[in-house]
Amino acid sequence: MNLPADLLEQAEHLSRRELKRPRQASLRRATSTAYYALFHLLTADAALALGQQLQPSARFQLQRSFNHTQIKEVCGRFQQNTLPSSIESLIGSAASSSLKGVAYSFIVLQEARHSADYDLNSRWDRARAKEDVERARDAFATWKTIRKTPEANVFLISFLLYKVLESSR
Amino acid sequence: METSSIVPAQQDEEKVDELLRETTLPPEIAFVLKEFKEDHSGVPAVYLSFQLKPHIVLDRQALTRVSRFMTAFARTLLDHGLSRFPYVSLNEAE
């Protein structure tokens, strides 16, 4: 099972359905699914970083403990260079441009998902849905190039341990 | 997500306008709409909607290029000290 990749493929499919008159449901679900694809990509790696020796079922359980708001907070800190020194010292410097790009896309897609799912006053169009899917796809590609780096490791464990790391010296 | 101290919307709007003046938009983009409000979690934000020119359909390559341009634009705003978080989207002009 590769849930993140499957979700991304599904998002792509939804963004291209109904060529002449796309349904709002398809376009909105494309955006929402693109966000969840990236969410699952990052939280699967975070669970792996924190529980490498765990059985898959235990890792999936660990993965459920990640919180959307907390990850957004962490992404904002990495993206905007507002990491506490205790965390910055773990990665040796400010976050790389690639990691900031992934963090930025996560924040943007989370907000887009919220609008797509709940803001029925806005009209969702195909360009928007396709760009959201492309944003997720680009984040996937970038993440693949940095996921084994120390900064990515600190980024991932911060999803769960940010407050602990923030207060450590 | 923490933001730096929030300045009046007008100051942030000036930063956005200044960068727009200095930047060449991709040829597919007609103009950019701005909206200042809070995001879904209550954080002050600016929403930048890049409006596609009428009847433009982007292929994958162009979509990637435009998407990356929008991201770079937003990240430049943050580097220039924008106090609100810039959210970008691509939209079809109505």
Side-chain angles (χ1 to χ4, degrees):
Chain A
M1 179 179 71
N2 189 341
L3 183 63
D6 290 349
L7 286 170
L8 187 61
E9 183 189 317
Q10 191 173 54
E12 172 98 37
H13 171 69
L14 287 165
S15 74
R16 295 175 183 278
R17 281 188 59 175
E18 298 124 13
L19 285 178
K20 291 193 175 172
R21 294 190 63 188
R23 296 177 192 169
Q24 283 291 292
S26 299
L27 300 178
R28 288 171 183 272
R29 291 311 299 165
T31 291
S32 186
T33 305
Y35 167 70
Y36 278 106
L38 184 57
F39 174 80
H40 282 288
L41 178 77
L42 296 179
T43 56
D45 273 353
L48 199 57
L50 288 159
Q52 197 165 16
Q53 304 306 323
L54 295 176
Q55 292 294 317
S57 59
R59 261 205 324 276
F60 294 150
Q61 193 178 332
L62 179 62
Q63 203 174 329
R64 288 202 61 178
S65 61
F66 295 114
N67 174 290
H68 294 265
T69 305
Q70 177 67 28
I71 298 176
K72 182 189 177 193
E73 168 82 21
V74 169
C75 285
R77 294 283 194 161
F78 274 79
Q79 158 61 39
Q80 295 179 71
N81 286 333
T82 54
L83 288 170
S85 57
S86 55
I87 294 183
E88 204 167 78
S89 66
L90 293 176
I91 60 176
S93 62
S96 69
S97 180
S98 294
L99 182 54
K100 285 181 179 179
V102 172
Y104 179 76
S105 287
F106 183 89
I107 295 169
V108 168
L109 286 170
Q110 185 181 104
E111 183 68 9
R113 182 211 74 91
H114 200 271
S115 294
D117 286 350
Y118 302 116
D119 179 9
L120 301 184
N121 281 318
S122 63
R123 187 181 69 90
W124 227 253
D125 58 47
R126 193 186 300 279
R128 165 127 209 197
K130 286 174 74 173
E131 197 277 326
D132 288 336
V133 174
E134 178 57 31
R135 177 172 297 284
R137 182 179 300 284
D138 213 22
F140 266 60
T142 303
W143 181 248
K144 194 175 174 184
T145 68
I146 60 171
R147 63 189 289 263
K148 300 286 189 187
T149 61
E151 65 167 358
N153 198 227
V154 175
F155 176 66
L156 293 171
I157 63 175
S158 296
F159 292 175
L160 211 53
L161 301 175
Y162 182 81
K163 296 293 179 195
V164 175
L165 294 171
E166 184 184 35
S167 59
S168 69
R169 291 184 182 274
Chain B
M1 185 173 61
E2 183 175 281
T3 58
S4 54
S5 56
I6 303 301
V7 302
Q10 188 182 349
Q11 290 181 32
D12 274 346
E13 187 165 17
E14 285 168 4
K15 283 197 169 92
V16 174
D17 289 343
E18 186 181 351
L19 186 58
L20 280 171
R21 278 195 301 274
E22 293 170 355
T23 305
T24 303
L25 295 173
E28 299 89 349
I29 301 297
F31 57 93
V32 181
L33 292 177
K34 300 164 291 188
E35 187 178 11
F36 291 81
K37 60 181 184 180
E38 293 181 348
D39 70 12
H40 83 272
S41 57
V43 174
V46 54
Y47 292 77
L48 301 171
S49 171
F50 291 75
Q51 303 281 306
L52 270 181
K53 289 177 180 170
H55 313 301
I56 292 273
V57 178
L58 301 178
D59 61 20
R60 166 67 58 73
Q61 199 175 16
L63 193 58
T64 303
R65 175 171 46 77
V66 171
S67 180
R68 288 180 180 172
F69 168 85
M70 289 163 38
T71 297
F73 187 89
R75 291 176 63 187
T76 302
L77 284 172
L78 288 169
D79 291 344
H80 287 193
L82 197 78
S83 68
R84 287 164 175 74
F85 192 84
Y87 290 102
V88 293
S89 65
L90 181 67
N91 294 96
E92 294 161 10
E94 292 190 43

